[in-house]
Amino acid sequence: MRVVIAEDAAMMREGLVRLLTDRGFEVCAAVADAEALRSAVAAAVPDVAIIDIRMPPTHTDEGLRAAIDIRRDHPGVGVLVFSQYVETRYATRLLADRPSGVGYLLKDRVADVADFVDALTRVASGGTALDPEVVGHLMRAGQDTAGVASLTPREREVLALMAEGRSNAGIAAALVITPGVVEKHVANIFAKLGLPSSDSDNRRVLAVLRHVGG
């Protein structure tokens, strides 16, 4: 799997390069700013790009804006935002149009290398990988949306786990309920939100995220 890394902190950048190389990934480029990221992705067209949010020159939202550009210009490239910060406005834009192959993880909440590698692989394969904290911010940002207000507390729990990218079986295990009960909750959620049911977990989760993200 081919990866481009954009991270302005040299120690973090080199650490990611070593971590991924040791696990068989091909790191095509490791850059420190958004313009270099755009150029590296255009040249290498990797399977996935790992992108920090705050990079030179302003250290505000350069990474997320570059991520949105990459999704538009290179739709086959997965994007994994890896940051200390949650930026709901750009995160919603990143997820809204075609959110398959998108991840958003928080640096200080990734404690297991295997989980990070799994999330990266999932995003590169067209799946999603969202930190629960990010999901929470997105849901709070869209909490005034009519359908979400009608959900029960349990349905909100199921929705949050759906948004993290979990399957019905994964949700059942997390909430210690049966898959059949999860299916009923999912059906209720889609009915209340006015969203069509789908056999694809990705399409289901992404439709929900578009709604709750406002």
Side-chain angles (χ1 to χ4, degrees):
M1 187 179 300
R2 305 171 72 247
V3 182
V4 164
I5 298 168
E7 167 62 63
D8 69 316
M11 293 291 288
M12 174 68 75
R13 185 171 64 250
E14 293 305 314
L16 285 170
V17 170
R18 176 167 294 188
L19 182 153
L20 295 177
T21 300
D22 288 348
R23 284 159 180 78
F25 291 84
E26 178 187 348
V27 178
C28 305
V31 300
D33 63 75
E35 283 308 310
L37 166 64
R38 291 183 178 91
S39 298
V41 169
V45 192
D47 297 297
V48 62
I50 301 171
I51 304 173
D52 190 17
I53 290 177
R54 300 187 178 184
M55 292 188 290
T58 68
H59 295 278
T60 54
D61 55 15
E62 287 85 356
L64 268 175
R65 287 190 283 113
I68 292 168
D69 292 344
I70 288 167
R71 296 291 287 162
R72 181 194 65 223
D73 299 337
H74 307 280
V77 176
V79 166
L80 177 60
V81 175
F82 191 43
S83 177
Q84 294 176 310
Y85 309 99
V86 179
E87 186 15 283
T88 55
R89 180 165 61 100
Y90 282 110
T92 300
R93 284 183 57 190
L94 185 64
L95 289 160
D97 295 328
R98 189 180 45 80
S100 56
V102 173
Y104 197 138
L105 301 180
L106 299 179
K107 291 176 180 176
D108 60 356
R109 288 170 54 87
V110 176
D112 192 307
V113 171
D115 289 343
F116 178 78
V117 171
D118 176 70
L120 182 63
T121 302
R122 199 181 332 144
V123 169
S125 301
T128 57
L130 301 175
D131 186 283
E133 184 76 15
V134 174
V135 173
H137 277 270
L138 289 172
M139 293 182 70
R140 286 192 292 274
Q143 64 186 356
D144 57 344
T145 305
V148 175
S150 69
L151 300 181
T152 67
R154 177 61 90 182
E155 288 165 354
R156 287 173 179 268
E157 289 179 319
V158 171
L159 177 62
L161 291 169
M162 287 168 58
E164 290 174 30
R166 300 202 194 192
S167 65
N168 282 0
I171 294 170
L175 297 179
V176 196
I177 55 179
T178 67
V181 171
V182 173
E183 290 176 7
K184 291 179 181 178
H185 285 311
V186 170
N188 289 339
I189 289 168
F190 277 110
K192 291 179 180 180
L193 297 183
L195 297 167
S197 181
S198 170
D199 291 333
S200 165
D201 280 347
N202 280 343
R203 289 198 300 269
R204 176 184 71 181
V205 171
L206 300 172
V208 171
L209 282 176
R210 283 201 298 272
H211 190 87
V212 301

